[in-house]
Amino acid sequence: MGVIPEQAAPQIVLQCRGISMRFGKGSDSTVALEQIDLDVARGEFLVLLGPSGCGKSTLLYLMAGLLLPTTGTVTMGGELIRGPSPRRGVVFQDFALFPWLTVEDNIRFGLDLAVQRRHGPNDGGRVVLELVKTMGLSEFQRHKPHQLSGGMRQRVAIARTLAPDPEVMLMDEPFGSLDAQTRAALQRELAALAQRTGKTTVFVTHSIEEAALLASRVVILSRRPGRIQRVLPVTMPRLRWNWKTEFPAEYLQLVSDLEAALAEATVGSTT
Amino acid sequence: MSTGELGANSWHWAGRAMARSYSIVAVLLLWEILARALDNVLFLPGIGAVVNALGELARSGELSTDLASSSWRALCGFFIASAVGIPLGLAMGSFARMDDFWGNLISLSFPIPKIGLIPLFILWLGIGDTSKIAVIIAGAIYPVIMNTYSGVKGTPRYLVWSAQTLGASTLELLYKVILPHALPFIFAGLRLAMGIAWILLFAAEMVAATSGLGFRILYAQRLLDTPVVFASLAMIAVLGFAFDRLLYYLSRYACDWYFHRNV
């Protein structure tokens, strides 16, 4: 796998062309996605929003290379995606931490593999330490996942994905199973993190508020079979609400726009 | 429930140990009462007679020879069965071709009574330790393979996907994710294998041996020395118990994440 030099990097990181996805065979098969054309630009925070069962997670897994499309192609920098790669990090809804490893060793996992492969200088220790600090995990470095709360586990999972410095971070409803307070705290941290690092992120959610808080662009998918119903660019600054004052009018407008678009997407495919 | 937290509460732990010994004390008591009521050493010797017999065996040096040769055979068989069974189970669980090749062979050969193989193994491998160890391997390997296989098959898809998106190759996936995930199941298989090893060992020693606890039982029975039969059986139970506990605590130590998970 070739590494594309920074200067020559195209604006588009991921490209989906004519994607459809069918699960199963014959009469039992279901079409999860149909006719998806979508580009992910470098540095953007793309949110895939849609009713449950619309195939938005499937689309994310196709981008990751964990699933392969029935028709169409997914390319990264012009290269066809044939399987998972550390260039595309994934954060799963149920954390998927390795339960036998400590917090630190979980975070190190991908980093150590990368260091082994490239035979590069091993400053992994410093990277891990920094991530542990920024994710607020300093007290829990030696803990194992079963000793942590859900919010802490998801912080570890995000740090583990960020450690090997992937070009794209793919997040599958990462805060879906957390309580409201923890979820709000993590949304705030993620918004700040994405702004600071400029990491290209694709984020799947069914929460309108979450989409409105985080996205620099929202793609709304219709009910199954999932198609792109609407694309809404967001012009607001990334850190759009300081979690102390009232919601800005722009945010509230975006929420109602998304509500209307989502209602349309839900009705549109049933008639 | 995390009642198994060792050292968390030593009083609690001591209480559990007491509670666990009541049943053993009750059986010993019943045995002694029955033995005294029957008053026939040949039919059912009491605890005193058995302890005396054990002391006699220890003084003559027969006990240490028997323990040494029996333990050697059982552990040899157990370790070889583990060393072959764990990699085979891992390979079968991970690669469909390995499963296709070995799956039916294992299902076919599993129900063959391994005690019935003793005459064959003696014919092929002679009357020494090799044939006895071979019988133990033939019996103990199945639970190791099957439990390892189940552990591999139960690896959650998301753990595999996590490792793959973090850059793990097939081999790295195997020993960094699938093996550690399967470890609690492997230990369950090893405990079964250990028990089977002792059972088969005594069967093998009763057919052809000049030392070992199995040989001692048969020899004593011929001499109508019932206390020695009981003493040897008790030694088998104690050895089997000790090795099972050892494996159990080893698994608790190595797989703390599995025993302490509460979600």
Side-chain angles (χ1 to χ4, degrees):
Chain A
M1 258 188 252
V3 177
I4 294 142
E6 274 311 307
Q7 292 86 346
Q11 197 58 33
I12 302 304
V13 185
L14 281 170
Q15 204 165 43
C16 305
R17 281 290 170 270
I19 284 182
S20 71
M21 186 69 187
R22 178 186 288 273
F23 288 107
K25 290 217 161 72
S27 57
D28 286 339
S29 72
T30 52
V31 179
L33 292 169
E34 216 169 51
Q35 289 283 308
I36 304 279
D37 290 302
L38 182 63
D39 291 346
V40 180
R42 186 169 300 281
E44 77 170 324
F45 198 114
L46 179 69
V47 171
L48 300 176
L49 180 67
S52 49
C54 73
K56 51 196 189 298
S57 294
T58 303
L59 183 54
L60 193 83
Y61 293 155
L62 288 169
M63 290 178 181
L66 292 167
L67 299 174
L68 296 176
T70 313
T71 63
T73 56
V74 188
T75 54
M76 184 174 197
E79 212 177 293
L80 187 68
I81 292 173
R82 298 167 193 278
S85 150
R87 292 169 71 193
R88 299 179 298 277
V90 184
V91 177
F92 297 95
Q93 179 174 2
D94 297 317
F95 324 132
L97 297 174
F98 303 115
W100 51 88
L101 295 180
T102 62
V103 165
E104 193 188 333
D105 289 341
N106 262 289
I107 297 173
R108 294 194 72 94
F109 191 91
L111 201 61
D112 287 348
L113 292 174
V115 168
Q116 275 171 35
R117 209 127 308 158
R118 291 171 201 148
H119 311 286
N122 191 354
D123 66 340
R126 196 182 50 76
V127 173
V128 171
L129 212 70
E130 237 162 62
L131 276 167
V132 162
K133 225 185 285 169
T134 51
M135 299 308 289
L137 294 163
S138 301
E139 293 169 59
F140 305 106
Q141 225 165 319
R142 304 256 114 239
H143 285 51
K144 288 198 176 156
H146 70 261
Q147 297 165 302
L148 303 179
S149 65
M152 281 297 164
R153 282 183 216 184
Q154 197 55 294
R155 281 193 174 89
V156 178
I158 292 169
R160 182 181 66 173
T161 304
L162 286 172
D165 198 22
E167 286 163 63
V168 185
M169 184 150 77
L170 306 169
M171 307 181 86
D172 184 19
E173 302 199 36
F175 309 142
S177 61
L178 304 177
D179 62 88
Q181 267 184 310
T182 311
R183 175 195 282 239
L186 277 169
Q187 284 167 345
R188 183 172 48 211
E189 284 173 38
L190 182 64
L193 190 88
Q195 200 208 21
R196 199 173 59 244
T197 60
K199 184 75 70 190
T200 311
T201 308
V202 182
F203 188 103
V204 166
T205 184
H206 60 254
S207 155
I208 289 167
E209 289 75 17
E210 193 163 69
L213 270 174
L214 297 169
S216 65
R217 194 159 64 110
V218 184
V219 169
I220 294 171
L221 294 179
S222 66
R223 190 162 273 183
R224 185 180 293 156
R227 289 177 217 221
I228 293 180
Q229 186 80 14
R230 269 188 77 181
V231 180
L232 272 113
V234 180
T235 48
M236 265 185 284
R238 277 294 181 82
L239 294 172
R240 51 199 59 157
W241 174 48
N242 66 10
W243 279 270
K244 286 181 193 121
T245 56
E246 299 210 329
F247 289 109
E250 275 173 299
Y251 167 83
L252 296 173
Q253 183 58 47
L254 179 58
V255 169
S256 67
D257 286 354
L258 289 174
E259 264 168 8
L262 199 60
E264 202 179 293
T266 314
V267 173
S269 54
T270 46
T271 52
Chain B
M1 292 279 284
S2 58
T3 43
E5 289 201 36
L6 257 178
N9 185 335
S10 55
W11 275 113
H12 175 73
W13 191 83
R16 280 289 295 277
M18 286 271 282
R20 282 166 161 271
S21 57
Y22 291 150
S23 56
I24 296 171
V25 172
V27 169
L28 289 177
L29 215 66
L30 195 69
W31 171 18
E32 186 61 27
I33 290 168
L34 267 174
R36 288 192 183 192
L38 287 167
D39 195 25
N40 183 344
V41 170
L42 193 63
F43 190 75
L44 183 69
I47 292 173
V50 171
V51 169
N52 280 340
L54 208 57
E56 198 58 51
L57 287 172
R59 264 191 297 282
S60 69
E62 285 165 315
L63 184 66
S64 53
T65 341
D66 286 344
L67 284 178
S69 49
S70 285
S71 301
W72 159 251
R73 291 163 187 154
L75 292 180
C76 241
F78 170 80
F79 278 118
I80 295 171
S82 313
V84 178
I86 294 171
L88 190 56
L90 278 176
M92 283 173 63
S94 310
F95 306 109
R97 279 185 187 178
M98 292 297 280
D99 200 1
D100 289 345
F101 186 83
W102 291 101
N104 282 342
L105 278 180
I106 286 167
S107 296
L108 266 173
S109 56
F110 179 47
I112 296 174
K114 303 305 172 295
I115 294 174
L117 293 178
I118 294 172
L120 275 180
F121 282 147
I122 289 173
L123 183 69
W124 292 336
L125 301 168
I127 208 162
D129 280 352
T130 321
S131 57
K132 295 173 186 63
I133 292 167
V135 174
I136 292 167
I137 297 168
I141 200 166
Y142 290 93
V144 179
I145 296 172
M146 287 168 175
N147 280 277
T148 307
Y149 180 86
S150 303
V152 172
K153 284 293 182 195
T155 313
R157 184 177 67 162
Y158 288 103
L159 287 188
V160 174
W161 277 8
S162 282
Q164 286 176 334
T165 54
L166 289 165
S169 66
T170 306
L171 195 68
E172 285 159 345
L173 187 66
L174 204 61
Y175 77 85
K176 283 181 171 240
V177 177
I178 291 172
L179 179 63
H181 178 270
L183 203 57
F185 301 87
I186 293 175
F187 267 109
L190 292 182
R191 287 177 68 188
L192 284 168
M194 185 61 93
I196 290 173
W198 288 105
I199 292 168
L200 285 175
L201 171 75
F202 295 113
E205 283 182 345
M206 286 169 97
V207 173
T210 53
S211 68
L213 291 164
F215 157 78
R216 189 67 53 206
I217 290 170
L218 205 71
Y219 190 69
Q221 187 236 344
R222 284 185 192 138
L223 300 178
L224 299 178
D225 195 350
T226 314
V228 169
V229 174
F230 270 84
S232 304
L233 285 173
M235 286 315 296
I236 298 166
V238 169
L239 272 179
F241 175 81
F243 281 110
D244 183 62
R245 289 285 96 181
L246 185 71
L247 281 173
Y248 172 72
Y249 285 114
L250 215 60
S251 75
R252 292 292 297 237
Y253 176 75
C255 312
D256 59 340
W257 61 274
Y258 183 80
F259 289 97
H260 286 188
R261 71 180 172 178
N262 39 24
V263 277

